[in-house]
Amino acid sequence: MLNWLRELDQVLRGEKTRVSDLQEGSIRINTAGLSVLVIALGMVYGACMGTFALLREGGPVYQQLVATMVKVPSLFALTLVITFPSLYVFNALVGSRLLVPAVLRLLVASLSVTLAMLAALGPIVLFFSLSTKSYPFMILLNVFVFGVSGLLGLKFLLQTLHRMTVVDEQRRATLRREALQAQYSSTAEENSEPSESDDEAEDDVKFIEDEVRELPDPDGPLDELDGFVLGGHVKVVFRCWVVVFGLVGAQMAWVLRPFVGDPDSPFEWFRTRESSFFEGVWNAILNLFG
């Protein structure tokens, strides 16, 4: 367990996503260990979130606490299962060499960042769970906490994909340079006198050498690579997936509700299918300020 926590700390500090490590074409993490931590951190936040049901009028509802502890990690696991194929296809469309295991490790690392942030904000949610009776406020507070944590996790994912894409581009440029250098050397050996084609080949080599630059290691996992910008189509593809992930996660939370537990309703594991996540949030806003 200590080794898993140490590895999570390395992910949060960016030590697992340095360019020098990504040049091997993958992210080196203990997928099983981080997955266990993701579940544990989700249960920790679920306990903070479900505490609101313990102080309701009429007596505590311990079933809601247990249900929330189970539902929070389930929410992320189910969202991962649903969105994983789309990320792999989107990643392949931009020319990345990441295979299925590498994409899975990257997603687990991203979820570990998200759940670590959730667990870190858990004491704040616990404080409000113990100090307020406003059910709409607790709904909106948890939506805000989930939103902030999810954005940080997706930012980590996009920056790591950016670095991997740049590493791939630099690797391809290096291979082109080596091929042209070999071609130029063999041509120079065959021709005793330099020709116009030799000058063109030498210019091509110099042009590619300008493309091959030393890749800096950013300080943190959310920092961008200075001087390296993703192509427009790559940005569009990855941002589309972020939107897909956010929509699936939001609606999955609506399907698995209730998480907090309505103090005016009896306990139930799942509610009937109705409206949508966004309509539910809007109704909570209206109830809070109405």
Side-chain angles (χ1 to χ4, degrees), residues 129-151:
S129 296
L130 299 175
S131 60
T132 183
K133 294 183 178 180
S134 176
Y135 177 64
F137 173 78
M138 289 304 302
I139 292 290
L140 296 176
L141 174 64
N142 282 282
V143 168
F144 175 77
V145 171
F146 270 93
V148 170
S149 302
L151 286 176

